[in-house]
Amino acid sequence: MQRFATGTEAALALRPDHPLYCFRPEVLKEDARQFMALFPGETAYAVKTNGEPMVLKTLVEAGVRIFDVASPGEFAAVREASPDAEMLYMHPVKAQSDIRLALETYGIRVMSLDHEDEIAKVLRIVRAMDLDPASITIFVRLQTKGHAMYELSKKFGAAPGHAVELVQRLDKIGFRVGLCFHVGSQVEEAESYELALKSADWVRNRAGVELVGLDVGGGFPATYGSSPNRKPVHVPPLTELMGQLRDNITEWGFDDMPLVAEPGRVVVARAFSLIVRVLLRKGKRLYINDGIWASLSDSWTGKITLPARFIPDPARKTRKGDAENIVAFRVCGATCDSVDILSRPFWLPETVETGDWIEIGHIGAYSLSLRTRFNGFYPDDFVEVTTPFGDEGAPDGFASLETMAD
Ligand SMILES: Cc1ncc(COP(=O)(O)O)c(C=O)c1O
């Protein structure tokens, strides 16, 4: 992989006409290590967030040895990155053949579920393989309430009363039982975790079963930008959020059992930026060579304002307008689909033109993993970059809308 000090340097040297991902392995290691240092338990990286081999390999180098996986594709990717990494199969609804594969081929012994039919599926395979249920840990996933960019409890999680029944049933069969939750991705309030812990405590007390662990899921927020014309969303910094989470864990009496977290976004977001090219400027619209069916769907559905840096093409000798004047451009994606228009504008100098580049920062989470081949577009070019996106400043143009808190 070619290596550059900054994204700007890569853009000017390569003049990429297709989207170019800038991978920052040292940033990834730093963020993974920071999380592991702050969380008072085991860290299981959520592979769905970005399961690229370069990411998994770098995380292993950083000391991550547990991975949250959801499918056979993720089991194989983790095994490829590390022959002895532990995997937690935390998707609550699983294909029977995938459960068998997990237990038989990959030696996975930790799973989650939120329904009795799922217990029946797991038990069928456990009996067929003649395994002792006591060798398997099952986390019952609880429904939670809280504020996050992505609410996940609409789809998964048992209500507290139901969770009590599931815990008791699993215990009676002989499985080791724990509780887990996911407060939603990109949480907006630290209290979301406290509400979930309170609910977990209620279930523990009613169930009267000795729990073997608590998995607090993901949700830890990454740093993004904010729009100058909107009220800034207050995202608690990780140190603050983790301090509060640690206090809440003690307060609710979960500090005496093994804890796990499944962070995704907060670990990998900062590790990638994406250089896109303006294929066409039409008034206040920019048509770029990426979009919601490639790297930008998370920002579209989550209405996330990504930080962006303008990289003007030096080959263009004349420009109209005032480079100091930052204006909002509507951004249209590369495909012919008319919904492929970003939900948030890019704020850039009014001099931006066809042929210029924009480096979009903090794009490592839910970008590469959500790419489709729609319309035949599939960004897959990479370079390595050594300077963190936020450290480069705004050399020729302007960082739009950045509130790079850290
Ligand atoms: C079960 C599970 N664990 C972990 C994650 C990672 O969440 P985040 O990226 O918000 O940290 C997700 C995301 O959807 C998930 O579904």
Side-chain angles (χ1 to χ4, degrees):
M1 208 188 292
Q2 274 185 280
R3 212 159 173 232
F4 296 91
T6 64
T8 303
E9 204 183 290
L12 298 181
L14 302 174
R15 302 182 57 80
D17 221 15
H18 296 123
L20 181 69
Y21 292 107
C22 302
F23 177 43
R24 293 167 169 83
E26 291 311 313
V27 172
L28 180 59
K29 285 183 188 171
E30 188 183 319
D31 287 354
R33 287 185 178 135
Q34 187 198 22
F35 190 92
M36 290 190 285
L38 289 172
F39 182 69
E42 297 282 7
T43 297
Y45 170 71
V47 174
K48 60 185 74 77
T49 321
N50 186 331
E52 290 297 306
M54 69 185 94
V55 168
L56 301 182
K57 209 175 126 283
T58 306
L59 288 171
V60 170
E61 283 166 19
V64 176
R65 43 164 222 93
I66 311 179
F67 293 84
D68 154 34
V69 288
S71 66
E74 293 187 357
F75 308 160
V78 170
R79 205 32 91 240
E80 184 68 32
S82 165
D84 51 11
E86 188 184 344
M87 291 188 245
L88 317 182
Y89 189 6
M90 302 306 281
H91 195 316
V93 182
K94 300 169 278 300
Q96 179 126 342
S97 55
D98 293 349
I99 299 171
R100 179 180 276 276
L101 187 77
L103 290 169
E104 213 168 50
T105 309
Y106 289 94
I108 293 173
R109 290 292 179 271
V110 179
M111 297 183 188
S112 79
L113 52 77
D114 64 4
H115 196 272
E116 43 284 355
D117 288 359
E118 200 72 12
I119 300 183
K121 270 194 246 172
V122 176
L123 192 56
R124 220 171 285 141
I125 312 280
V126 166
R127 297 266 190 258
M129 286 176 64
D130 194 22
L131 291 173
D132 178 358
S135 64
I136 296 167
T137 300
I138 300 195
F139 285 90
V140 173
R141 173 131 166 202
L142 302 176
Q143 230 169 40
T144 59
K145 285 196 188 76
H147 284 281
M149 199 82 84
Y150 288 97
E151 169 58 63
L152 295 173
S153 278
K154 279 190 202 127
K155 191 164 166 187
F156 297 121
H162 185 197
V164 170
E165 285 171 31
L166 295 173
V167 167
Q168 289 172 338
R169 189 185 291 216
L170 287 162
D171 178 65
K172 208 161 153 203
I173 296 168
F175 288 113
R176 288 158 54 82
V177 195
L179 292 175
C180 68
F181 51 76
H182 195 303
V183 294
S185 200
Q186 188 71 6
V187 285
E188 288 163 351
E189 288 170 1
E191 289 69 33
S192 304
Y193 289 97
E194 190 181 3
L195 287 175
L197 288 167
K198 189 172 163 187
S199 174
D201 180 55
W202 189 91
V203 171
R204 171 175 58 178
N205 292 336
R206 295 297 177 290
V209 164
E210 186 78 29
L211 298 178
V212 300
L214 177 76
D215 181 335
V216 303
F220 305 90
T223 308
Y224 294 121
S226 64
S227 232
N229 61 348
R230 286 173 189 274
K231 221 172 100 209
V233 185
H234 173 70
V235 176
L238 188 63
T239 40
E240 180 188 314
L241 194 142
M242 208 56 107
Q244 193 162 333
L245 177 59
R246 274 199 305 264
D247 290 349
N248 295 151
I249 284 172
T250 310
E251 204 179 310
W252 291 100
F254 286 104
D255 51 342
D256 60 349
M257 67 169 69
L259 300 170
V260 189
E262 302 162 16
R265 194 182 283 281
V266 73
V267 170
V268 78
R270 237 169 40 98
F272 285 83
S273 63
L274 173 71
I275 297 173
V276 297
R277 194 161 204 187
V278 179
L279 300 179
L280 182 72
R281 173 174 171 176
K282 217 190 248 184
K284 285 285 168 56
R285 278 177 177 230
L286 300 179
Y287 292 76
I288 61 168
N289 55 4
D290 204 300
I292 68 163
W293 301 114
S295 322
L296 299 168
S297 79
D298 179 57
S299 74
W300 181 65
T301 40
K303 297 194 170 45
I304 292 169
T305 298
L306 291 159
R309 173 177 294 116
F310 177 44
I311 307 175
D313 181 357
R316 179 177 281 277
K317 299 299 173 210
T318 57
R319 289 176 182 272
K320 280 195 248 108
D322 174 4
E324 302 287 321
N325 192 21
I326 307 293
V327 296
F329 288 94
R330 204 158 161 69
V331 181
C332 302
T335 68
C336 58
D337 185 353
S338 60
V339 304
D340 189 3
I341 299 178
L342 297 192
S343 49
R344 291 282 182 261
F346 280 10
W347 292 77
L348 295 165
E350 65 176 351
T351 49
V352 65
E353 276 296 349
T354 301
D356 289 333
W357 295 276
I358 302 163
E359 186 186 8
I360 304 173
H362 299 198
I363 187 87
Y366 307 107
S367 50
L368 291 106
S369 54
L370 292 175
R371 282 172 295 175
T372 73
R373 294 188 186 273
F374 180 49
N375 254 198
F377 296 114
Y378 188 77
D380 205 29
D381 295 333
F382 296 84
V383 291
E384 196 180 309
V385 165
T386 50
T387 312
F389 179 83
D391 288 1
E392 193 191 326
D396 299 306
F398 296 84
S400 75
L401 23 141
E402 285 188 63
T403 50
M404 314 288 282
D406 43 358

